[in-house]
Amino acid sequence: MDREDEVLTTATQPAEEDAALLARVQRGDEQAMVMLFDRYSRIVYSVALRVLRDAASAEDILQEIFMQIWRNPAAFVATRGSLGGWLAVVTRNRSIDSLRRKKPTEQVEELQLAAPGNMADEAERNLMMEKARVVIAQLPAEQRKTLEMAFFDGLTHSEIAEMTGDPLGTVKTRIRSALLTLRKGLQA
Amino acid sequence: MNTANHIAPEDLPLIALQFLPEQEMADALVHLEHCEACRAEIARYQGDLATYALTSEMHSPPALARERLMRRVAKEKKVIPIERPQPVTTAAHPDEPVLAPRRGSGMFDVETYEEPRRSRSAGIAAWSGWAIAAGLAVVAGLLFHQRQVLQSNVKDLSAKASQPTGEDTRAEAVLKTLTSEGAMQVAMHIPPPDGVPAPRLPEGHTTYLSEKGQLVFVAANLLPVPQGKTYELWVLPQQPEDAPKGQSLSPIPAGTFKPDQYGSASVVMPDIPKGVTAQGFGVTIEDDGGSKTPTMPIVLVGLSI
């Protein structure tokens, strides 16, 4: 190994459970915040960037969400599901609210989230990512497009129906079918 | 919307997506409070949406995002409440009469007002009250005077602070010269003996003050980076002599930059930690937004001698 290569080696850190890190954050441990940031900032930033299509706005959302964790880690309880999954959904919701210049809606975020897998584990997360991408690529084009418009573009079912000219019921069915196919595909 | 006392299946994903109109959403939330089945189904859809979120292309946040967050975190230090042991209460025997709690046993005790008893000391106590009030009035007067003096001092200091000193003006001019897009940047070399100019190779110069964490980096003759990519500067920390074998300090990201049309670029005063002794500096090409760890190969490197 060259000298330059040697100094650029990065040390790896052992994984710690999300719940343990949140408990440390609750006690004011800043290092635990760093670990949570390193674990999930890529997901949060990528989802925000996908919705907002602007790096500065995406970082604003990233900062806002991690500050929310710092200020109130107890708002996320273990029974609510996976922290990674919750962050992904909250990031999407916050980004859409920001697009629409709407006050953040907390109601849905207070509901539980069935953990889709262990997102704290990078290898497992990458596997889920790959599987999900394959399932989505295999969806019928209308379903794929409708889900994308709903989730990433934040268009409501009514707006999608208006834009595409499809009946409202069809739009609702497409969203539901796409999500059910995704669920089934990941369980397979 | 509700069918057979449950939320219609097509509406469940819409709730997870926050798409229902306000009134319908309020009705749905009322139903969800009491319906375990619908709650579980919404939780599954939330999980599906979380999985779907992962299909977006992954990007690393800007290299300095973590430092920015941790600065905000440090500003909002937490006050950790001290856990006090709960008072042990023994259950009263069923035959025993229930006694009123003793004073001082609870966190917020309500003090009962009792009619004061008249005694010989009542008159003295009344006069001592006036004496205390007079004393407090004097103290308040002194505090008011002190406050006036302090306010006046603050005004003077603010006025002085708002006037830039000669040194500040010069520092600002230096910074503008270094970072201005219109500034001409020319790298000088020994003229070629045969008059034929040698090909211009990429080069970078770093000036670094470790104890203050201050850094100025200027580069020239850089090649343009591909779309979606950026150059990133790294501080390569000096490895401690007593560090265990195989463990090394990670490079510290010191800012991203893209060259202008002439191949010139600079990074001035990036947000880096203080007190890091550097072994050298490196530049790599990363995805837009920068990276937390450098990606090989290193395109420019300089190590201290």
Side-chain angles (χ1 to χ4, degrees):
Chain A
M1 198 191 263
D2 289 343
R3 195 177 170 207
E4 289 84 14
D5 288 355
E6 204 174 276
V7 291
L8 288 170
T9 307
T10 307
T12 53
Q13 290 173 327
E16 192 173 348
E17 291 291 323
D18 286 345
L21 288 176
L22 284 167
R24 284 172 57 189
V25 170
Q26 182 82 44
R27 295 194 295 271
D29 183 339
E30 293 177 20
Q31 194 53 37
M33 270 307 287
V34 172
M35 290 172 80
L36 283 175
F37 184 89
D38 288 348
R39 187 172 291 177
Y40 292 119
S41 62
R42 213 165 132 79
I43 294 181
V44 171
Y45 183 72
S46 302
V47 173
L49 191 63
R50 173 69 184 79
V51 174
L52 297 164
R53 295 188 175 95
D54 175 68
S57 310
E59 196 195 323
D60 286 347
I61 297 286
L62 173 84
Q63 299 279 343
E64 185 192 318
I65 285 178
F66 277 95
M67 282 310 290
Q68 190 184 339
I69 294 182
W70 173 247
R71 286 173 189 141
N72 191 12
F76 174 81
V77 284
T79 51
R80 195 168 285 164
S82 102
L83 177 61
W86 181 77
L87 286 173
V89 170
V90 170
T91 301
R92 177 263 176 191
N93 293 346
R94 286 282 187 288
S95 304
I96 301 288
D97 288 341
S98 163
L99 266 186
R100 291 177 173 252
R101 304 198 186 285
K102 214 178 102 186
K103 210 176 142 200
T105 321
E106 306 280 349
Q107 294 161 323
V108 171
E109 289 157 17
E110 283 168 9
L111 297 171
Q112 285 194 349
L113 180 145
N118 182 11
M119 286 202 192
D121 183 276
E122 196 173 353
E124 195 172 330
R125 194 166 68 217
N126 288 340
L127 191 68
M128 277 169 63
M129 250 177 227
E130 288 309 313
K131 266 184 159 182
R133 282 178 185 153
V134 170
V135 176
I136 293 298
Q138 288 171 349
L139 283 176
E142 304 80 27
Q143 277 187 28
R144 192 172 58 243
K145 190 67 201 158
T146 307
L147 184 59
E148 193 182 332
M149 289 166 94
F151 188 80
F152 287 122
D153 299 334
L155 293 170
T156 66
H157 50 304
S158 315
E159 287 166 338
I160 297 170
E162 202 174 307
M163 278 179 74
T164 58
D166 293 320
L168 199 59
T170 307
V171 173
K172 286 183 181 183
T173 308
R174 279 182 190 154
I175 293 173
R176 180 165 174 262
S177 303
L179 290 175
L180 291 177
T181 309
L182 179 63
R183 190 187 302 170
K184 210 173 153 188
L186 258 85
Q187 285 165 354
Chain B
M1 188 182 71
N2 290 2
T3 55
N5 297 324
H6 285 294
I7 297 169
E10 284 77 19
D11 284 342
L12 291 166
L14 303 183
I15 293 171
L17 284 162
Q18 307 199 96
F19 280 170
L20 286 192
E22 209 169 314
Q23 188 52 52
E24 280 186 54
M25 183 65 101
D27 294 344
L29 290 170
V30 169
H31 173 79
L32 287 170
E33 265 181 40
H34 308 288
C35 182
E36 180 68 33
C38 286
R39 252 201 331 265
E41 198 51 34
I42 295 273
R44 279 191 279 274
Y45 280 118
Q46 295 258 54
D48 299 337
L49 292 175
T51 311
Y52 181 60
L54 294 182
T55 63
S56 49
E57 197 186 331
M58 288 292 132
H59 297 272
S60 295
L64 298 177
R66 187 169 79 170
E67 280 70 23
R68 281 193 277 270
L69 175 76
M70 294 318 295
R71 267 205 306 272
R72 288 181 68 184
V73 161
K75 271 186 193 167
E76 293 188 25
K77 289 269 185 202
K78 293 189 179 208
V79 178
I80 310 299
I82 299 163
E83 285 178 20
R84 292 170 192 277
Q86 293 296 313
V88 180
T89 52
T90 48
H93 191 275
D95 296 336
E96 273 183 33
V98 180
L99 299 173
R102 290 189 187 112
R103 284 179 67 177
S105 61
M107 194 177 280
F108 302 104
D109 290 318
V110 180
E111 295 200 6
T112 50
Y113 176 77
E114 289 174 12
E115 190 69 27
R117 288 179 193 167
R118 299 268 172 200
S119 69
R120 283 187 299 173
S121 58
I124 298 164
W127 280 108
S128 65
W130 282 107
I132 290 166
L136 284 173
V138 171
V139 171
L142 285 170
L143 285 173
F144 178 74
H145 176 69
Q146 267 184 351
R147 185 168 165 264
Q148 296 289 93
V149 171
L150 283 172
Q151 271 182 343
S152 160
N153 287 347
V154 167
K155 265 185 194 168
D156 290 349
L157 287 170
S158 302
K160 278 179 190 166
S162 61
Q163 289 171 355
T165 61
E167 205 175 320
D168 290 341
T169 315
R170 183 173 155 72
E172 198 178 328
V174 170
L175 199 65
K176 275 187 181 164
T177 311
L178 277 170
T179 55
S180 171
E181 278 186 17
M184 190 169 98
Q185 293 195 5
V186 178
M188 293 188 288
H189 304 278
I190 298 168
D194 52 1
V196 181
R200 290 175 176 181
L201 296 172
E203 58 183 61
H205 301 273
T206 310
T207 308
Y208 177 60
L209 205 53
S210 62
E211 68 269 24
K212 292 189 174 175
Q214 292 174 344
L215 184 151
V216 175
F217 169 79
V218 182
N221 307 328
L222 293 175
L223 297 170
V225 280
Q227 186 79 21
K229 297 281 181 181
T230 180
Y231 285 110
E232 185 157 16
L233 177 66
W234 302 91
V235 177
L236 311 177
Q238 181 78 50
Q239 302 303 320
E241 283 174 10
D242 55 348
K245 205 176 177 184
Q247 282 190 19
S248 56
L249 292 175
S250 303
I252 298 162
T256 58
F257 58 93
K258 288 188 181 184
D260 62 14
Q261 55 181 322
Y262 307 108
S264 302
S266 61
V267 177
V268 178
M269 301 296 181
D271 192 5
I272 50 175
K274 292 176 189 174
V276 177
T277 308
Q279 181 181 354
F281 304 89
V283 173
T284 58
I285 295 177
E286 307 291 343
D287 288 336
D288 260 341
S291 170
K292 288 191 292 258
T293 52
T295 309
M296 293 296 148
I298 309 173
V299 294
L300 283 177
V301 69
L303 298 171
S304 62
I305 303 161

